[in-house]
Amino acid sequence: MIHNLFSHYLIDWNRNKNNRKMPWKGVKDPYKIWLSEIILQQTRVDQGLKYYENFIITFPTIHDLAKADEKKVFKLWEGLGYYSRCKNLIHTARVLSSTQNGQFPATYEDILKLKGIGPYTAAAIASFAFDLPHAVIDGNVFRVLARIFGIREPVDTTAGKKIITELAEKLLDKEHPGEYNQAIMDFGATVCKPANPDCEQCPFKSNCVAYKEDIVALLPVKIKRTTVRTRYFYFFLPQYRNALPVRERLDKDIWQHLYEFPLIEKEEETSSGAIVAAATKKGWIPKGTAVTVSPVYAQKLSHQLIKAVFISYRLAEKSGLFENYSWVKAAALNTLPFPKTITQYLNKAGNDH
DNA sequence: AATGCGGGGAC
DNA sequence: GTCCCAGCATT
């Protein structure tokens, strides 16, 4: 279909049919736009909404975020996933607070240089906050354009991304880039949905290649498959005078910057007897100590399946044990950010250590 | 170009 | 179970 007609139909749909409401919509404050965009990377609006509200209440300005204790920020991010987003959020807040008086740069190129901000987020901030003509290209845009323009090239390849990117930039309404960008994402989220799109109500019904050729469900084409690795985590929770050892996960691995208890990881499922024997050999469990072994807590990640078991026991003496860990009062554990698997265990009745 | 990084919701 | 979500950094 003709390119400027696409933008016309889209804007028309946005002004007459789009009922989607979100707290950051129409906002011009770059800080709020930035925060919402980081939270929403690979994250559904419904899931991110509460986090956005909590962040704005706790850190109303970029300076508030910049001077906050890192642990407190991670605690607020706890459960949202992709924790490098949080790390980069703090980093960029501090850079802008200390070197730019808390002001965001006002060009796409300068916004793109900031940590945690890629092409999508830079285009979103540039268009929403500064009315600059940069097209957002996210999962919605890939889907909407692939269907309406009948793009059969796989979108998760370099060639496919190039086609979509060039098309998106041509289609952008450069007079109303912010409204256009918001509209195409709202349209993808509410009408041209991944499953069961609302084609009968779609303003592009008579122009959509996928609809006319009855291949809506086949587009966009994606090739890559993810393989899932299973990992077995055995966490040890020794209690000494109502305190437990914890440490921050610092390796380049899942849950970086979240906290954990002493851990033995296995590639294969291991019996509780064998794992207790291994911990005893490491000196983590004094001989003859009675332990309580939890059921298996399974957590699915995109590329990993985590099967976690928690082994709790009491220590009469802690001298020489867990010296690389911090001993934290059980009642203070809820001030630390933990992976979902661990908070689930801690929040279960009877596990409140 | 490929891989790793969370957690949840829809089907 | 599978797919996908307002992606990005790293290698």
Side-chain angles (χ1 to χ4, degrees):
Chain A
M1 74 185 285
I2 297 173
H3 287 172
N4 60 7
L5 201 57
F6 175 85
S7 154
H8 175 79
Y9 279 161
L10 183 66
I11 295 289
D12 186 63
W13 171 85
N14 186 52
R15 293 181 182 174
N16 298 305
K17 298 282 172 58
N18 184 9
N19 298 316
R20 206 173 188 217
K21 290 185 173 49
M22 293 171 293
W24 48 82
K25 216 167 155 175
V27 166
K28 284 295 186 184
D29 180 355
Y31 169 59
K32 290 183 177 176
I33 295 168
W34 170 55
L35 176 64
S36 71
E37 295 302 342
I38 301 298
I39 286 176
L40 291 175
Q41 286 170 4
Q42 292 291 286
T43 304
R44 291 166 196 281
V45 170
D46 288 345
Q47 190 189 358
L49 206 49
K50 199 67 196 174
Y51 287 85
Y52 173 81
E53 291 169 354
N54 289 340
F55 263 83
I56 291 298
I57 290 168
T58 312
F59 309 118
T61 72
I62 201 163
H63 294 302
D64 297 315
L65 178 58
K67 70 188 180 196
D69 176 46
E70 195 162 306
K71 216 181 299 177
K72 184 181 174 186
V73 184
F74 271 94
K75 186 65 186 175
L76 221 54
W77 197 274
E78 180 186 63
L80 194 56
Y82 283 163
Y83 296 93
S84 67
R85 290 184 293 173
C86 184
K87 184 74 177 175
N88 291 333
L89 190 76
I90 297 167
H91 173 85
T92 294
R94 289 179 178 169
V95 168
L96 295 181
S97 179
S98 61
T99 73
Q100 308 296 322
N101 194 27
Q103 299 297 304
F104 247 79
T107 70
Y108 173 85
E109 290 72 20
D110 287 341
I111 295 168
L112 186 59
K113 288 176 186 161
L114 299 171
K115 257 203 155 135
I117 295 181
Y120 163 76
T121 305
I125 297 172
S127 63
F128 295 148
F130 302 112
D131 296 309
L132 294 171
H134 296 273
V136 293
I137 298 162
D138 74 332
N140 291 302
V141 174
F142 277 106
R143 185 173 59 255
V144 169
L145 298 189
R147 285 175 176 167
I148 293 177
F149 292 89
I151 295 164
R152 297 160 198 259
E153 187 77 22
V155 296
D156 54 355
T157 62
T158 304
K161 284 174 190 159
K162 189 168 189 288
I163 292 170
I164 297 283
T165 301
E166 289 176 355
L167 180 55
E169 285 166 358
K170 277 181 199 156
L171 294 172
L172 174 69
D173 180 346
K174 294 174 180 60
E175 302 297 315
H176 314 93
E179 182 183 5
Y180 171 94
N181 280 337
Q182 186 63 59
I184 195 168
M185 291 192 287
D186 285 346
F187 178 75
T190 61
V191 180
C192 196
K193 298 173 288 183
N196 304 321
D198 198 359
C199 296
E200 295 311 314
Q201 303 295 321
C202 179
F204 300 103
K205 187 176 174 183
S206 60
N207 295 291
C208 178
V209 173
Y211 184 76
K212 287 192 282 190
E213 299 185 12
D214 198 23
I215 54 171
V216 172
L218 302 180
L219 296 181
V221 176
K222 293 189 181 179
I223 296 175
K224 297 189 173 60
R225 292 279 172 266
T226 61
T227 59
V228 175
R229 169 165 72 127
T230 303
R231 302 168 72 179
Y232 299 85
F233 284 8
Y234 298 90
F235 289 111
F236 294 87
L237 286 74
Q239 261 195 81
Y240 175 74
R241 291 188 179 175
N242 209 28
L244 297 99
V246 298
R247 70 173 178 188
E248 186 181 356
R249 288 175 63 88
L250 292 174
D251 293 347
K252 287 175 66 173
D253 193 2
I254 58 170
W255 303 329
Q256 192 177 26
H257 302 299
L258 301 191
Y259 283 72
E260 67 177 359
F261 299 104
L263 167 68
I264 294 178
E265 181 180 348
K266 295 288 188 186
E267 291 298 316
E268 305 290 337
E269 188 165 8
T270 307
S271 72
S272 56
I275 206 70
V276 167
T280 304
K281 190 175 176 185
K282 284 169 75 80
W284 283 7
I285 306 178
K287 286 190 173 56
T289 304
V291 302
T292 301
V293 180
S294 79
V296 176
Y297 286 70
Q299 184 183 4
K300 286 164 65 176
L301 281 54
S302 297
H303 298 75
Q304 299 184 22
L305 174 60
I306 308 299
K307 293 191 173 181
V309 172
F310 299 86
I311 296 143
S312 59
Y313 52 100
R314 292 181 178 280
L315 286 180
E317 189 57 57
K318 69 159 178 151
S319 59
L321 291 182
F322 306 112
E323 287 178 332
N324 296 326
Y325 292 77
S326 306
W327 288 81
V328 174
K329 293 285 186 194
L333 288 176
N334 62 7
T335 65
L336 297 176
F338 285 104
K340 196 74 179 177
T341 307
I342 295 181
T343 55
Q344 272 179 355
Y345 170 77
L346 291 175
N347 291 338
K348 191 166 171 64
N351 294 337
D352 52 337
H353 296 278

